[in-house]
Amino acid sequence: MVMDPNKAQDVWKDAGEHVQFTVLELKREDQAKDQEAIQEFVDRFQAITRSLRIRDNKGNLKVSLGFSNAAWDYLFPNAPKPKELEDYETLTGPKYEMPAVKGDLFIHVRANDEAVVYEFMAQLMNFIKDITTVVDETKGFRYFEGRAIIGFIDGTENPEPQDAADYAIIGDEDPQFVNGSYAFAQKWRHQMDIWNKLTTEDQEKAVGRKKFSDLELSEQEKFKNAHNVASQATIDGVEQKIVRMNVPYSDPASDNTGTYFIGYARHWNVTKKMLENMLEKNDYLLSFSDILGGQLFFIPSRPLLDQIAEGEFK
């Protein structure tokens, strides 16, 4: 079966202006009831998306819905499973760790207008709130010029838009789940006082790029644990890529500022390798950040969502 990006969810498009990430956990009080509720929820998810794209045809609404490995086993116990779907477990390096958190359902919404994001989630939660609890709900935003909250252009290492689908969407290596994707969601909280005390020159060495122009520094100019060095993943001599749609979040008055990292990938092992390298090389960004948690989710293709909604996938 040939990959068709038009049959994928929104896993390779732009990061958006107004963004919301929601992670839910199933209460698991009645499996049969939960399975029926998920069928309706998935159906409504698609219907609400279509409706809001008509209501605000310039809103640029993009959405994706995913299931963790634990949710997959619970909701679809007799169905096949994507080859690389697994429980994300805490990764530990010499100095830092990337903790895992619980999470069954992952919802990623972005649009040009915050009202569209709100309306989508407000309608959607009517069909899922009774069987779930909220693990995390984070509102993100596009910072100036698409920069990360630490002031640097984000996403420079992403593949070109015309090539992105090849890195984000599963192909014929897993034909039952073609046009799906692996999403890794991870929430970082930054100690901005520490970061802001660094000189611009040291910040550039820490990231590996110029702050204003985004030009990459030479290897000699960077810190050995610069972010764009530590986060690289090479497999069989080939540098690998994923599609990142990271966004800042902040509650300035309570000093709660960070980055919501979201990486969509054709292969989970590529993202995992990047995370392991960041830990092994003590990525400089970890020195002033706390990672609050992360989890892996599988993002089904739109045709597979239809099968789930129709009760054909159990």
Side-chain angles (χ1 to χ4, degrees):
M1 185 176 292
V2 180
M3 178 198 300
D4 182 356
N6 292 320
K7 294 183 179 179
Q9 294 193 61
D10 294 319
V11 300
W12 59 284
K13 309 285 179 74
D14 60 277
E17 299 286 330
H18 300 270
V19 188
Q20 182 163 329
F21 301 98
T22 304
V23 177
L24 304 171
E25 184 177 15
L26 294 162
K27 293 179 180 178
R28 289 176 168 77
E29 295 174 344
D30 185 326
Q31 186 177 23
K33 178 183 176 181
D34 290 346
Q35 289 170 321
E36 290 181 4
I38 287 296
Q39 289 175 28
E40 181 178 11
F41 169 70
V42 171
D43 184 49
R44 297 284 190 165
F45 178 88
Q46 298 177 95
I48 294 168
T49 302
R50 291 191 296 268
S51 173
L52 282 172
R53 284 175 175 165
I54 294 170
R55 292 174 63 188
D56 185 356
N57 62 4
K58 296 181 181 179
N60 200 29
L61 174 65
K62 293 184 175 65
V63 296
S64 61
L65 167 65
F67 301 87
S68 69
N69 184 59
W72 198 274
D73 289 342
Y74 178 70
L75 296 170
F76 318 119
N78 301 312
K81 184 186 294 188
K83 288 181 179 179
E84 297 185 50
L85 183 59
E86 64 180 9
D87 292 321
Y88 171 71
E89 298 181 351
T90 298
L91 298 177
T92 304
K95 192 173 181 180
Y96 306 106
E97 69 174 22
M98 294 183 173
V101 292
K102 292 181 179 181
D104 290 316
L105 306 177
F106 173 69
I107 305 164
H108 179 191
V109 187
R110 63 256 196 216
N112 293 343
D113 190 335
E114 174 64 22
V116 176
V117 176
Y118 162 77
E119 185 70 10
F120 181 89
M121 286 304 303
Q123 289 192 24
L124 191 65
M125 288 306 298
N126 287 326
F127 305 98
I128 198 69
K129 62 183 178 182
D130 290 342
I131 66 165
T132 61
T133 57
V134 178
V135 175
D136 183 73
E137 187 174 32
T138 299
K139 290 185 178 296
F141 57 93
R142 184 182 187 275
Y143 198 38
F144 296 111
E145 301 176 296
R147 294 179 183 269
I149 201 68
I150 60 173
F152 285 76
I153 297 291
D154 204 0
T156 301
E157 300 297 328
N158 270 354
E160 292 293 331
Q162 62 268 27
D163 302 323
D166 289 335
Y167 293 94
I169 299 172
I170 295 169
D172 58 9
E173 68 276 4
D174 195 358
Q176 287 184 296
F177 297 100
V178 68
N179 299 316
S181 183
Y182 295 98
F184 181 70
Q186 188 180 60
K187 191 172 182 179
W188 294 51
R189 182 173 180 175
H190 304 310
Q191 299 173 55
M192 296 299 293
D193 287 347
I194 295 175
W195 175 252
N196 289 330
K197 287 177 181 177
L198 296 178
T199 64
T200 297
E201 183 180 20
D202 281 345
Q203 289 182 352
E204 291 174 343
K205 291 177 180 179
V207 172
R209 291 186 172 276
K210 288 287 187 180
K211 193 169 186 178
F212 177 73
S213 67
D214 195 41
L215 288 174
E216 185 170 3
L217 301 181
S218 68
E219 296 303 312
Q220 294 74 25
E221 293 176 293
K222 303 175 186 178
F223 290 144
K224 290 182 179 179
N225 62 338
H227 176 61
N228 69 353
V229 173
S231 60
Q232 288 183 0
T234 300
I235 299 177
D236 297 329
V238 179
E239 184 180 348
Q240 305 295 308
K241 293 182 179 294
I242 63 173
V243 174
R244 298 173 178 86
M245 297 190 196
N246 310 337
V247 292
Y249 69 88
S250 184
D251 301 306
S254 55
D255 194 25
N256 179 28
T257 296
T259 299
Y260 202 103
F261 168 80
I262 172 66
Y264 289 106
R266 181 171 183 166
H267 296 287
W268 156 236
N269 68 341
V270 171
T271 310
K272 189 175 183 180
K273 180 67 173 174
M274 291 178 175
L275 301 174
E276 291 170 341
N277 287 349
M278 291 168 69
L279 289 168
E280 181 182 344
K281 297 179 180 180
N282 295 325
D283 189 320
Y284 196 97
L285 299 190
L286 294 166
S287 69
F288 65 96
S289 305
D290 299 311
I291 297 182
L292 305 181
Q295 189 52 260
L296 171 67
F297 301 92
F298 176 70
I299 311 295
S301 67
R302 293 191 300 105
L304 183 51
L305 287 181
D306 289 337
Q307 291 183 47
I308 294 172
E310 293 167 6
E312 299 174 357
F313 195 84
K314 296 180 180 181

